[in-house]
Amino acid sequence: MSYILAIESSCDDTSCAVINSDFHVLSNVTASQKVHQEYGGVVPELASRAHQSNIVPVVDKALKDAKINKQDLSAVAFTRGPGLLGSLLVGVCFAKSFATALNIPLIEVNHLEAHVLAHFIKDSPEQNIPSFPFLCLLVSGGNTQIILLEGPRKMKTIGKTIDDAAGETIDKAAKILSLPYPGGPHIDRLAKEGNVSLKFSQSHIPGYDYSFSGLKTSILYTLRDKLKSNPKYLEENMADIAASVQKAVVDTLLAKFEKAIKDTGIKTIAVAGGVSANSELRERLTLLGNKHCCRVFIPKFSYTTDNAAMVGCAGLFKYFNKEFASLDLTAYTR
Ligand code: KG4
């Protein structure tokens, strides 16, 4: 049995996991950073500093939880990018040093590929995993993509946002409503109590690409106009606004994804990334899958946000292929 230690530090979560060669996660420890909350978004310099203080205790706990000695590790996988440069560098430098000290290989992982490959983590022996080819809707704070996978190392982005991401749009609406950052979980919670009362206009672009900037502007202008006639409009209609924003985002996401399902004829579909925690998106994607007779893969909540287990899983595929990284590489932001 081989054991991979995985490190994720691309944004504001310092995470470390140990995964074995059966894709079973032995530990997955994440330290989130509360320091950003008062700024309404992630402050890169504060994030790097918090990673520096968190990384040693997080790795130590992951090894202890996994009941593994560091000498039993076979490789160290780490997120090389994309993400915030300072944050990534903490993980990259730690991973290089750790692998060098233990004289074991180093494996670089792309953060977005890791989100998609998280569906191959086996939390129980009987758990189903996707078969190839499959289509994955990747939705996070900074990315919105439709990815076609023909194999674990064969991914093609067939659609992506040409401007803002789905998560950014939801976070922006939450900010207008003075909800804490990140706004996604708050919009999700409020939407459950509200009715869809507002209709926003959106830009329509051809193919599988997305555009969220038109929707973002429409949300801003619609709410601004409502406030002109009723200065208390926002506080009196929080739940309805949340439900309307959420529906508009999910409608947009699923319209292009359904087109991709129809055009490719692929019968295995999945969703990944932070926004895949959204309850409306999870429910409606399942319905969409049923409508097109697809097998649908929805991640466990713990694998929706940034976590090192997914990095370990993506790293394992490279480990089996002996695709190791050299010590002179550095992080990339995009
Ligand atoms: O993948 P992720 O953790 O970070 C990036 O790498 O971007 O995604 C974070 C995004 C944020 O925009 C956050 O508001 C959103 O995921 N999010 C949600 C929910 N939980 C997190 N959006 C909608 N509904 C949720 N339940």
Side-chain angles (χ1 to χ4, degrees), residues 34-296:
K34 299 268 177 278
V35 64
H36 309 284
Q37 265 172 4
E38 61 182 289
Y39 300 99
V42 178
V43 183
E45 181 56 26
L46 295 179
S48 332
R49 288 173 196 218
H51 281 304
Q52 282 183 319
S53 3
N54 290 343
I55 193 138
V56 172
V58 165
V59 171
D60 190 46
K61 180 152 180 12
L63 286 167
K64 283 189 179 131
D65 285 1
K67 299 188 175 56
I68 277 266
N69 284 319
K70 48 187 184 297
Q71 287 76 13
D72 298 326
L73 294 170
S74 320
V76 179
F78 65 97
T79 303
R80 185 177 173 198
L84 300 171
L85 187 59
S87 293
L88 288 162
L89 282 174
V90 177
V92 172
C93 294
F94 187 92
K96 281 187 191 177
S97 321
F98 210 64
T100 307
L102 294 171
N103 197 23
I104 54 177
L106 195 57
I107 301 168
E108 62 161 295
V109 169
N110 174 291
H111 178 80
L112 303 177
E113 289 184 10
H115 268 302
V116 177
L117 292 173
H119 287 287
F120 291 88
I121 292 173
K122 281 201 137 188
D123 283 321
S124 63
E126 62 282 354
Q127 190 180 319
N128 285 327
I129 53 166
S131 50
F132 296 104
F134 84 94
L135 275 180
C136 186
L137 177 63
L138 174 63
V139 266
S140 68
N143 291 279
T144 305
Q145 300 187 358
I146 298 178
I147 299 177
L148 195 164
L149 282 94
E150 283 167 356
R153 305 284 302 114
K154 235 177 149 191
M155 293 189 201
K156 199 168 137 199
T157 302
I158 59 168
K160 61 180 184 321
T161 178
I162 58 162
D163 41 52
D164 302 312
E168 263 175 292
T169 309
I170 294 177
D171 290 340
K172 177 77 188 172
K175 199 167 181 179
I176 298 172
L177 297 179
S178 304
L179 295 167
Y181 179 86
H186 300 282
I187 294 284
D188 195 351
R189 174 179 48 79
L190 281 166
K192 291 194 176 93
E193 299 152 19
N195 297 309
V196 177
S197 61
L198 300 171
K199 203 165 167 5
F200 306 109
S201 57
Q202 305 204 24
S203 23
H204 293 285
I205 50 166
Y208 306 122
D209 282 344
Y210 289 100
S211 166
F212 282 97
S213 65
L215 176 59
K216 240 167 100 172
T217 310
S218 173
I219 294 170
L220 185 69
Y221 288 176
T222 306
L223 297 181
R224 192 191 58 185
D225 291 348
K226 293 280 182 193
L227 274 172
K228 275 186 199 153
S229 45
N230 174 9
K232 288 191 167 173
Y233 183 80
L234 296 187
E235 55 197 273
E236 286 172 357
N237 295 280
M238 293 280 265
D240 286 0
I241 299 168
S244 308
V245 167
Q246 183 170 282
K247 178 173 184 305
V249 171
V250 175
D251 280 352
T252 308
L253 287 172
L254 294 187
K256 292 292 172 111
F257 198 54
E258 181 167 25
K259 178 173 162 50
I261 296 170
K262 280 188 194 156
D263 291 353
T264 60
I266 290 175
K267 295 289 177 203
T268 305
I269 61 170
V271 62
V275 183
S276 69
N278 184 264
S279 42
E280 181 171 346
L281 179 59
R282 294 165 84 91
E283 269 170 41
R284 288 183 50 195
L285 188 89
T286 307
L287 294 175
L288 186 70
N290 294 344
K291 178 178 161 194
H292 292 281
C293 304
C294 296
R295 290 172 79 211
V296 183

